[in-house]
Amino acid sequence: GAGVSQTPSNKVTEKGKYVELRCDPISGHTALYWYRQSLGQGPEFLIYFQGTGAADDSGLPNDRFFAVRPEGSVSTLKIQRTERGDSAVYLCASSPGGSGNTIYFGEGSWLTVV
Amino acid sequence: AQTVTQSQPEMSVQEAETVTLSCTYDTSESDYYLFWYKQPPSRQMILVIRQEAYKQQNATENRFSVNFQKAAKSFSLKISDSQLGDAAMYFCAYRSAWISNMLTFGGGTRLMVKP
């Protein structure tokens, strides 16, 4: 596609529920990133994929958060037993890989836990 | 760990005037990249300009330019001839040249443009 696509754009869920957020990166991009942006703050790194494997998941806050990228393209961020503190915009980004390449962002999924 | 600091939560500029947004960072690395991203209400982070640390020449993209002071670890963004469409959140970001997995962002500066 032309850009990084994220669905859903907005999601409201009840505390304790399970949610999945989907990211479709730019075609051919091997690197994929998830960031979380709380209101009024800069994005914070969650996880990075190079191909199908999670090369760095050091930013995941706890074991309720999990992400997969089974075929090296689309990725899903999964959040179990959601809490109100999980409310944020979840941004996905992709790049061709390599430290010098520009990272391109999607418009994010705005998650609200009530 | 690297940190990025933006000390101006909000800035205001008159249309057609020039404004400078500040950014400082902390790192022990000698090779890295610095970026300015713009985030309008649509939430999408849009790359404005990038700077390679090994380049002494300041990057320029049309009305946008940077003042990169490596020794001072300072990376400010200058917007010339400000336009209403420049109003947005602006984030400064750091990326290691060796660990390509993440951008580290500052807290952002909200830029308002007055007509």
PDB file of all heavy atoms in Angstrom, chain A residues 47-82:
ATOM      1  N   ILE A  47       8.007  -2.463  20.703  1.00  0.00           N
ATOM      2  CA  ILE A  47       8.589  -3.669  20.139  1.00  0.00           C
ATOM      3  C   ILE A  47       9.014  -3.415  18.704  1.00  0.00           C
ATOM      4  O   ILE A  47       8.440  -2.557  18.025  1.00  0.00           O
ATOM      5  CB  ILE A  47       7.584  -4.848  20.218  1.00  0.00           C
ATOM      6  CG1 ILE A  47       8.231  -6.178  19.796  1.00  0.00           C
ATOM      7  CG2 ILE A  47       6.338  -4.556  19.394  1.00  0.00           C
ATOM      8  CD1 ILE A  47       7.356  -7.394  20.105  1.00  0.00           C
ATOM      9  N   TYR A  48      10.021  -4.169  18.269  1.00  0.00           N
ATOM     10  CA  TYR A  48      10.562  -4.035  16.926  1.00  0.00           C
ATOM     11  C   TYR A  48      10.695  -5.418  16.307  1.00  0.00           C
ATOM     12  O   TYR A  48      11.212  -6.347  16.939  1.00  0.00           O
ATOM     13  CB  TYR A  48      11.919  -3.335  17.018  1.00  0.00           C
ATOM     14  CG  TYR A  48      12.910  -3.597  15.908  1.00  0.00           C
ATOM     15  CD1 TYR A  48      12.653  -3.184  14.614  1.00  0.00           C
ATOM     16  CD2 TYR A  48      14.121  -4.232  16.165  1.00  0.00           C
ATOM     17  CE1 TYR A  48      13.578  -3.398  13.601  1.00  0.00           C
ATOM     18  CE2 TYR A  48      15.046  -4.447  15.160  1.00  0.00           C
ATOM     19  CZ  TYR A  48      14.769  -4.023  13.882  1.00  0.00           C
ATOM     20  OH  TYR A  48      15.689  -4.226  12.882  1.00  0.00           O
ATOM     21  N   PHE A  49      10.212  -5.546  15.069  1.00  0.00           N
ATOM     22  CA  PHE A  49      10.349  -6.774  14.294  1.00  0.00           C
ATOM     23  C   PHE A  49      11.293  -6.542  13.128  1.00  0.00           C
ATOM     24  O   PHE A  49      11.214  -5.524  12.440  1.00  0.00           O
ATOM     25  CB  PHE A  49       8.993  -7.208  13.712  1.00  0.00           C
ATOM     26  CG  PHE A  49       8.021  -7.733  14.711  1.00  0.00           C
ATOM     27  CD1 PHE A  49       7.137  -6.883  15.359  1.00  0.00           C
ATOM     28  CD2 PHE A  49       7.969  -9.087  15.002  1.00  0.00           C
ATOM     29  CE1 PHE A  49       6.227  -7.367  16.273  1.00  0.00           C
ATOM     30  CE2 PHE A  49       7.055  -9.583  15.919  1.00  0.00           C
ATOM     31  CZ  PHE A  49       6.185  -8.718  16.557  1.00  0.00           C
ATOM     32  N   GLN A  50      12.146  -7.513  12.904  1.00  0.00           N
ATOM     33  CA  GLN A  50      12.915  -7.558  11.672  1.00  0.00           C
ATOM     34  C   GLN A  50      12.484  -8.867  10.986  1.00  0.00           C
ATOM     35  O   GLN A  50      12.853  -9.954  11.435  1.00  0.00           O
ATOM     36  CB  GLN A  50      14.413  -7.539  11.934  1.00  0.00           C
ATOM     37  CG  GLN A  50      15.255  -7.558  10.665  1.00  0.00           C
ATOM     38  CD  GLN A  50      15.000  -6.365   9.762  1.00  0.00           C
ATOM     39  OE1 GLN A  50      14.901  -5.228  10.205  1.00  0.00           O
ATOM     40  NE2 GLN A  50      14.894  -6.644   8.479  1.00  0.00           N
ATOM     41  N   GLY A  51      11.716  -8.738   9.931  1.00  0.00           N
ATOM     42  CA  GLY A  51      11.119  -9.935   9.338  1.00  0.00           C
ATOM     43  C   GLY A  51      10.024 -10.475  10.241  1.00  0.00           C
ATOM     44  O   GLY A  51       9.175  -9.731  10.718  1.00  0.00           O
ATOM     45  N   THR A  52      10.052 -11.764  10.498  1.00  0.00           N
ATOM     46  CA  THR A  52       9.012 -12.393  11.308  1.00  0.00           C
ATOM     47  C   THR A  52       9.321 -12.380  12.795  1.00  0.00           C
ATOM     48  O   THR A  52       8.417 -12.559  13.617  1.00  0.00           O
ATOM     49  CB  THR A  52       8.807 -13.856  10.873  1.00  0.00           C
ATOM     50  OG1 THR A  52      10.037 -14.556  11.049  1.00  0.00           O
ATOM     51  CG2 THR A  52       8.382 -13.945   9.410  1.00  0.00           C
ATOM     52  N   GLY A  53      10.559 -12.174  13.160  1.00  0.00           N
ATOM     53  CA  GLY A  53      10.945 -12.288  14.554  1.00  0.00           C
ATOM     54  C   GLY A  53      10.998 -10.961  15.287  1.00  0.00           C
ATOM     55  O   GLY A  53      11.341  -9.925  14.711  1.00  0.00           O
ATOM     56  N   ALA A  54      10.659 -11.026  16.573  1.00  0.00           N
ATOM     57  CA  ALA A  54      10.760  -9.835  17.413  1.00  0.00           C
ATOM     58  C   ALA A  54      12.210  -9.654  17.804  1.00  0.00           C
ATOM     59  O   ALA A  54      12.733 -10.373  18.649  1.00  0.00           O
ATOM     60  CB  ALA A  54       9.882  -9.984  18.647  1.00  0.00           C
ATOM     61  N   ALA A  55      12.866  -8.672  17.197  1.00  0.00           N
ATOM     62  CA  ALA A  55      14.276  -8.443  17.460  1.00  0.00           C
ATOM     63  C   ALA A  55      14.499  -7.744  18.797  1.00  0.00           C
ATOM     64  O   ALA A  55      15.565  -7.867  19.396  1.00  0.00           O
ATOM     65  CB  ALA A  55      14.892  -7.625  16.330  1.00  0.00           C
ATOM     66  N   ASP A  56      13.498  -6.993  19.232  1.00  0.00           N
ATOM     67  CA  ASP A  56      13.622  -6.263  20.499  1.00  0.00           C
ATOM     68  C   ASP A  56      12.233  -6.023  21.047  1.00  0.00           C
ATOM     69  O   ASP A  56      11.455  -5.291  20.438  1.00  0.00           O
ATOM     70  CB  ASP A  56      14.352  -4.939  20.283  1.00  0.00           C
ATOM     71  CG  ASP A  56      14.602  -4.180  21.575  1.00  0.00           C
ATOM     72  OD1 ASP A  56      14.058  -4.566  22.629  1.00  0.00           O
ATOM     73  OD2 ASP A  56      15.347  -3.188  21.528  1.00  0.00           O
ATOM     74  N   ASP A  57      11.900  -6.650  22.169  1.00  0.00           N
ATOM     75  CA  ASP A  57      10.593  -6.424  22.796  1.00  0.00           C
ATOM     76  C   ASP A  57      10.751  -5.789  24.171  1.00  0.00           C
ATOM     77  O   ASP A  57       9.878  -5.919  25.035  1.00  0.00           O
ATOM     78  CB  ASP A  57       9.793  -7.720  22.883  1.00  0.00           C
ATOM     79  CG  ASP A  57      10.466  -8.764  23.764  1.00  0.00           C
ATOM     80  OD1 ASP A  57      11.575  -8.489  24.279  1.00  0.00           O
ATOM     81  OD2 ASP A  57       9.887  -9.844  23.943  1.00  0.00           O
ATOM     82  N   SER A  58      11.859  -5.099  24.353  1.00  0.00           N
ATOM     83  CA  SER A  58      12.178  -4.554  25.673  1.00  0.00           C
ATOM     84  C   SER A  58      11.219  -3.454  26.125  1.00  0.00           C
ATOM     85  O   SER A  58      11.178  -3.127  27.311  1.00  0.00           O
ATOM     86  CB  SER A  58      13.609  -4.012  25.674  1.00  0.00           C
ATOM     87  OG  SER A  58      13.746  -2.956  24.749  1.00  0.00           O
ATOM     88  N   GLY A  59      10.462  -2.883  25.206  1.00  0.00           N
ATOM     89  CA  GLY A  59       9.551  -1.815  25.569  1.00  0.00           C
ATOM     90  C   GLY A  59       8.165  -2.271  25.995  1.00  0.00           C
ATOM     91  O   GLY A  59       7.371  -1.463  26.487  1.00  0.00           O
ATOM     92  N   LEU A  60       7.864  -3.546  25.835  1.00  0.00           N
ATOM     93  CA  LEU A  60       6.550  -4.041  26.257  1.00  0.00           C
ATOM     94  C   LEU A  60       6.439  -3.891  27.771  1.00  0.00           C
ATOM     95  O   LEU A  60       7.301  -4.377  28.509  1.00  0.00           O
ATOM     96  CB  LEU A  60       6.360  -5.490  25.840  1.00  0.00           C
ATOM     97  CG  LEU A  60       6.307  -5.753  24.339  1.00  0.00           C
ATOM     98  CD1 LEU A  60       6.178  -7.244  24.058  1.00  0.00           C
ATOM     99  CD2 LEU A  60       5.156  -4.991  23.685  1.00  0.00           C
ATOM    100  N   PRO A  61       5.378  -3.254  28.259  1.00  0.00           N
ATOM    101  CA  PRO A  61       5.321  -2.921  29.693  1.00  0.00           C
ATOM    102  C   PRO A  61       5.150  -4.119  30.611  1.00  0.00           C
ATOM    103  O   PRO A  61       5.624  -4.091  31.753  1.00  0.00           O
ATOM    104  CB  PRO A  61       4.131  -1.967  29.790  1.00  0.00           C
ATOM    105  CG  PRO A  61       3.321  -2.217  28.570  1.00  0.00           C
ATOM    106  CD  PRO A  61       4.251  -2.672  27.512  1.00  0.00           C
ATOM    107  N   ASN A  62       4.478  -5.155  30.160  1.00  0.00           N
ATOM    108  CA  ASN A  62       4.267  -6.348  30.998  1.00  0.00           C
ATOM    109  C   ASN A  62       3.778  -7.482  30.108  1.00  0.00           C
ATOM    110  O   ASN A  62       3.632  -7.315  28.888  1.00  0.00           O
ATOM    111  CB  ASN A  62       3.252  -6.042  32.112  1.00  0.00           C
ATOM    112  CG  ASN A  62       1.978  -5.411  31.585  1.00  0.00           C
ATOM    113  OD1 ASN A  62       1.278  -6.012  30.776  1.00  0.00           O
ATOM    114  ND2 ASN A  62       1.696  -4.193  32.013  1.00  0.00           N
ATOM    115  N   ASP A  63       3.513  -8.629  30.735  1.00  0.00           N
ATOM    116  CA  ASP A  63       3.165  -9.816  29.939  1.00  0.00           C
ATOM    117  C   ASP A  63       1.729  -9.795  29.428  1.00  0.00           C
ATOM    118  O   ASP A  63       1.287 -10.749  28.772  1.00  0.00           O
ATOM    119  CB  ASP A  63       3.440 -11.088  30.718  1.00  0.00           C
ATOM    120  CG  ASP A  63       2.627 -11.180  31.994  1.00  0.00           C
ATOM    121  OD1 ASP A  63       1.768 -10.299  32.232  1.00  0.00           O
ATOM    122  OD2 ASP A  63       2.852 -12.120  32.767  1.00  0.00           O
ATOM    123  N   ARG A  64       0.984  -8.732  29.666  1.00  0.00           N
ATOM    124  CA  ARG A  64      -0.341  -8.625  29.057  1.00  0.00           C
ATOM    125  C   ARG A  64      -0.242  -8.189  27.590  1.00  0.00           C
ATOM    126  O   ARG A  64      -1.199  -8.308  26.839  1.00  0.00           O
ATOM    127  CB  ARG A  64      -1.206  -7.629  29.832  1.00  0.00           C
ATOM    128  CG  ARG A  64      -1.518  -8.032  31.270  1.00  0.00           C
ATOM    129  CD  ARG A  64      -2.521  -7.070  31.902  1.00  0.00           C
ATOM    130  NE  ARG A  64      -1.998  -5.705  32.014  1.00  0.00           N
ATOM    131  CZ  ARG A  64      -2.377  -4.699  31.241  1.00  0.00           C
ATOM    132  NH1 ARG A  64      -3.298  -4.895  30.286  1.00  0.00           N
ATOM    133  NH2 ARG A  64      -1.856  -3.490  31.414  1.00  0.00           N
ATOM    134  N   PHE A  65       0.914  -7.674  27.232  1.00  0.00           N
ATOM    135  CA  PHE A  65       1.135  -7.171  25.873  1.00  0.00           C
ATOM    136  C   PHE A  65       1.939  -8.189  25.085  1.00  0.00           C
ATOM    137  O   PHE A  65       2.954  -8.701  25.556  1.00  0.00           O
ATOM    138  CB  PHE A  65       1.902  -5.845  25.907  1.00  0.00           C
ATOM    139  CG  PHE A  65       1.110  -4.678  26.410  1.00  0.00           C
ATOM    140  CD1 PHE A  65       0.841  -4.533  27.755  1.00  0.00           C
ATOM    141  CD2 PHE A  65       0.623  -3.728  25.520  1.00  0.00           C
ATOM    142  CE1 PHE A  65       0.095  -3.457  28.220  1.00  0.00           C
ATOM    143  CE2 PHE A  65      -0.108  -2.646  25.977  1.00  0.00           C
ATOM    144  CZ  PHE A  65      -0.371  -2.505  27.326  1.00  0.00           C
ATOM    145  N   PHE A  66       1.481  -8.426  23.858  1.00  0.00           N
ATOM    146  CA  PHE A  66       2.162  -9.378  22.997  1.00  0.00           C
ATOM    147  C   PHE A  66       1.951  -8.955  21.556  1.00  0.00           C
ATOM    148  O   PHE A  66       0.905  -8.403  21.209  1.00  0.00           O
ATOM    149  CB  PHE A  66       1.602 -10.793  23.221  1.00  0.00           C
ATOM    150  CG  PHE A  66       2.393 -11.876  22.549  1.00  0.00           C
ATOM    151  CD1 PHE A  66       3.640 -12.240  23.013  1.00  0.00           C
ATOM    152  CD2 PHE A  66       1.881 -12.539  21.435  1.00  0.00           C
ATOM    153  CE1 PHE A  66       4.375 -13.232  22.386  1.00  0.00           C
ATOM    154  CE2 PHE A  66       2.602 -13.540  20.810  1.00  0.00           C
ATOM    155  CZ  PHE A  66       3.848 -13.883  21.288  1.00  0.00           C
ATOM    156  N   ALA A  67       2.926  -9.180  20.712  1.00  0.00           N
ATOM    157  CA  ALA A  67       2.783  -8.824  19.301  1.00  0.00           C
ATOM    158  C   ALA A  67       3.345  -9.932  18.432  1.00  0.00           C
ATOM    159  O   ALA A  67       4.289 -10.619  18.813  1.00  0.00           O
ATOM    160  CB  ALA A  67       3.488  -7.501  18.991  1.00  0.00           C
ATOM    161  N   VAL A  68       2.749 -10.100  17.254  1.00  0.00           N
ATOM    162  CA  VAL A  68       3.187 -11.125  16.315  1.00  0.00           C
ATOM    163  C   VAL A  68       3.276 -10.535  14.912  1.00  0.00           C
ATOM    164  O   VAL A  68       2.609  -9.548  14.592  1.00  0.00           O
ATOM    165  CB  VAL A  68       2.227 -12.339  16.308  1.00  0.00           C
ATOM    166  CG1 VAL A  68       2.257 -13.039  17.652  1.00  0.00           C
ATOM    167  CG2 VAL A  68       0.814 -11.911  15.944  1.00  0.00           C
ATOM    168  N   ARG A  69       4.064 -11.202  14.105  1.00  0.00           N
ATOM    169  CA  ARG A  69       4.205 -10.830  12.690  1.00  0.00           C
ATOM    170  C   ARG A  69       4.540 -12.123  11.930  1.00  0.00           C
ATOM    171  O   ARG A  69       5.642 -12.294  11.442  1.00  0.00           O
ATOM    172  CB  ARG A  69       5.305  -9.791  12.523  1.00  0.00           C
ATOM    173  CG  ARG A  69       5.297  -9.095  11.166  1.00  0.00           C
ATOM    174  CD  ARG A  69       6.499  -8.192  11.004  1.00  0.00           C
ATOM    175  NE  ARG A  69       6.427  -7.432   9.770  1.00  0.00           N
ATOM    176  CZ  ARG A  69       7.463  -6.831   9.204  1.00  0.00           C
ATOM    177  NH1 ARG A  69       8.671  -6.908   9.774  1.00  0.00           N
ATOM    178  NH2 ARG A  69       7.321  -6.160   8.082  1.00  0.00           N
ATOM    179  N   PRO A  70       3.583 -13.020  11.827  1.00  0.00           N
ATOM    180  CA  PRO A  70       3.855 -14.400  11.398  1.00  0.00           C
ATOM    181  C   PRO A  70       4.418 -14.554   9.990  1.00  0.00           C
ATOM    182  O   PRO A  70       5.165 -15.497   9.738  1.00  0.00           O
ATOM    183  CB  PRO A  70       2.484 -15.073  11.524  1.00  0.00           C
ATOM    184  CG  PRO A  70       1.499 -13.965  11.490  1.00  0.00           C
ATOM    185  CD  PRO A  70       2.167 -12.801  12.130  1.00  0.00           C
ATOM    186  N   GLU A  71       4.075 -13.669   9.075  1.00  0.00           N
ATOM    187  CA  GLU A  71       4.546 -13.823   7.699  1.00  0.00           C
ATOM    188  C   GLU A  71       5.472 -12.695   7.282  1.00  0.00           C
ATOM    189  O   GLU A  71       5.752 -12.520   6.101  1.00  0.00           O
ATOM    190  CB  GLU A  71       3.340 -13.937   6.753  1.00  0.00           C
ATOM    191  CG  GLU A  71       2.478 -15.170   7.048  1.00  0.00           C
ATOM    192  CD  GLU A  71       1.277 -15.274   6.131  1.00  0.00           C
ATOM    193  OE1 GLU A  71       1.061 -14.354   5.314  1.00  0.00           O
ATOM    194  OE2 GLU A  71       0.541 -16.259   6.238  1.00  0.00           O
ATOM    195  N   GLY A  72       5.905 -11.930   8.246  1.00  0.00           N
ATOM    196  CA  GLY A  72       6.853 -10.869   7.942  1.00  0.00           C
ATOM    197  C   GLY A  72       6.252  -9.643   7.306  1.00  0.00           C
ATOM    198  O   GLY A  72       6.986  -8.776   6.814  1.00  0.00           O
ATOM    199  N   SER A  73       4.919  -9.558   7.346  1.00  0.00           N
ATOM    200  CA  SER A  73       4.261  -8.381   6.786  1.00  0.00           C
ATOM    201  C   SER A  73       3.343  -7.763   7.839  1.00  0.00           C
ATOM    202  O   SER A  73       3.806  -6.993   8.681  1.00  0.00           O
ATOM    203  CB  SER A  73       3.491  -8.731   5.517  1.00  0.00           C
ATOM    204  OG  SER A  73       2.842  -7.584   4.993  1.00  0.00           O
ATOM    205  N   VAL A  74       2.072  -8.158   7.829  1.00  0.00           N
ATOM    206  CA  VAL A  74       1.106  -7.637   8.788  1.00  0.00           C
ATOM    207  C   VAL A  74       1.502  -8.037  10.217  1.00  0.00           C
ATOM    208  O   VAL A  74       1.990  -9.138  10.462  1.00  0.00           O
ATOM    209  CB  VAL A  74      -0.299  -8.172   8.463  1.00  0.00           C
ATOM    210  CG1 VAL A  74      -1.292  -7.823   9.559  1.00  0.00           C
ATOM    211  CG2 VAL A  74      -0.764  -7.625   7.118  1.00  0.00           C
ATOM    212  N   SER A  75       1.268  -7.107  11.137  1.00  0.00           N
ATOM    213  CA  SER A  75       1.543  -7.375  12.549  1.00  0.00           C
ATOM    214  C   SER A  75       0.288  -7.100  13.365  1.00  0.00           C
ATOM    215  O   SER A  75      -0.524  -6.229  13.016  1.00  0.00           O
ATOM    216  CB  SER A  75       2.685  -6.497  13.043  1.00  0.00           C
ATOM    217  OG  SER A  75       2.903  -6.674  14.443  1.00  0.00           O
ATOM    218  N   THR A  76       0.152  -7.844  14.461  1.00  0.00           N
ATOM    219  CA  THR A  76      -0.954  -7.630  15.385  1.00  0.00           C
ATOM    220  C   THR A  76      -0.404  -7.425  16.785  1.00  0.00           C
ATOM    221  O   THR A  76       0.407  -8.222  17.260  1.00  0.00           O
ATOM    222  CB  THR A  76      -1.908  -8.838  15.392  1.00  0.00           C
ATOM    223  OG1 THR A  76      -2.372  -9.094  14.062  1.00  0.00           O
ATOM    224  CG2 THR A  76      -3.114  -8.560  16.289  1.00  0.00           C
ATOM    225  N   LEU A  77      -0.839  -6.357  17.424  1.00  0.00           N
ATOM    226  CA  LEU A  77      -0.516  -6.102  18.826  1.00  0.00           C
ATOM    227  C   LEU A  77      -1.702  -6.570  19.655  1.00  0.00           C
ATOM    228  O   LEU A  77      -2.840  -6.176  19.385  1.00  0.00           O
ATOM    229  CB  LEU A  77      -0.259  -4.608  19.063  1.00  0.00           C
ATOM    230  CG  LEU A  77       0.059  -4.189  20.502  1.00  0.00           C
ATOM    231  CD1 LEU A  77       1.388  -4.781  20.959  1.00  0.00           C
ATOM    232  CD2 LEU A  77       0.091  -2.665  20.615  1.00  0.00           C
ATOM    233  N   LYS A  78      -1.429  -7.422  20.624  1.00  0.00           N
ATOM    234  CA  LYS A  78      -2.490  -8.023  21.421  1.00  0.00           C
ATOM    235  C   LYS A  78      -2.347  -7.578  22.868  1.00  0.00           C
ATOM    236  O   LYS A  78      -1.245  -7.636  23.425  1.00  0.00           O
ATOM    237  CB  LYS A  78      -2.409  -9.555  21.327  1.00  0.00           C
ATOM    238  CG  LYS A  78      -2.363 -10.066  19.892  1.00  0.00           C
ATOM    239  CD  LYS A  78      -2.288 -11.565  19.813  1.00  0.00           C
ATOM    240  CE  LYS A  78      -2.236 -12.026  18.355  1.00  0.00           C
ATOM    241  NZ  LYS A  78      -2.431 -13.493  18.231  1.00  0.00           N
ATOM    242  N   ILE A  79      -3.446  -7.157  23.455  1.00  0.00           N
ATOM    243  CA  ILE A  79      -3.442  -6.722  24.844  1.00  0.00           C
ATOM    244  C   ILE A  79      -4.506  -7.515  25.593  1.00  0.00           C
ATOM    245  O   ILE A  79      -5.696  -7.468  25.262  1.00  0.00           O
ATOM    246  CB  ILE A  79      -3.732  -5.212  24.977  1.00  0.00           C
ATOM    247  CG1 ILE A  79      -2.825  -4.386  24.047  1.00  0.00           C
ATOM    248  CG2 ILE A  79      -3.520  -4.765  26.427  1.00  0.00           C
ATOM    249  CD1 ILE A  79      -3.153  -2.901  24.015  1.00  0.00           C
ATOM    250  N   GLN A  80      -4.056  -8.231  26.603  1.00  0.00           N
ATOM    251  CA  GLN A  80      -4.975  -9.042  27.414  1.00  0.00           C
ATOM    252  C   GLN A  80      -5.366  -8.280  28.678  1.00  0.00           C
ATOM    253  O   GLN A  80      -4.611  -7.426  29.173  1.00  0.00           O
ATOM    254  CB  GLN A  80      -4.289 -10.350  27.814  1.00  0.00           C
ATOM    255  CG  GLN A  80      -3.911 -11.232  26.649  1.00  0.00           C
ATOM    256  CD  GLN A  80      -3.178 -12.490  27.100  1.00  0.00           C
ATOM    257  OE1 GLN A  80      -2.349 -12.453  27.993  1.00  0.00           O
ATOM    258  NE2 GLN A  80      -3.502 -13.610  26.469  1.00  0.00           N
ATOM    259  N   ARG A  81      -6.537  -8.594  29.197  1.00  0.00           N
ATOM    260  CA  ARG A  81      -7.001  -8.050  30.489  1.00  0.00           C
ATOM    261  C   ARG A  81      -6.721  -6.541  30.554  1.00  0.00           C
ATOM    262  O   ARG A  81      -6.019  -6.051  31.441  1.00  0.00           O
ATOM    263  CB  ARG A  81      -6.306  -8.774  31.634  1.00  0.00           C
ATOM    264  CG  ARG A  81      -6.494 -10.278  31.604  1.00  0.00           C
ATOM    265  CD  ARG A  81      -5.845 -10.956  32.817  1.00  0.00           C
ATOM    266  NE  ARG A  81      -4.431 -10.649  32.968  1.00  0.00           N
ATOM    267  CZ  ARG A  81      -3.460 -11.232  32.291  1.00  0.00           C
ATOM    268  NH1 ARG A  81      -3.736 -12.150  31.383  1.00  0.00           N
ATOM    269  NH2 ARG A  81      -2.202 -10.896  32.514  1.00  0.00           N
ATOM    270  N   THR A  82      -7.276  -5.823  29.606  1.00  0.00           N
ATOM    271  CA  THR A  82      -6.980  -4.402  29.488  1.00  0.00           C
ATOM    272  C   THR A  82      -7.275  -3.650  30.786  1.00  0.00           C
ATOM    273  O   THR A  82      -8.212  -3.974  31.524  1.00  0.00           O
ATOM    274  CB  THR A  82      -7.770  -3.755  28.349  1.00  0.00           C
ATOM    275  OG1 THR A  82      -9.157  -4.079  28.496  1.00  0.00           O
ATOM    276  CG2 THR A  82      -7.272  -4.221  27.004  1.00  0.00           C
TER     277      THR A  82
END
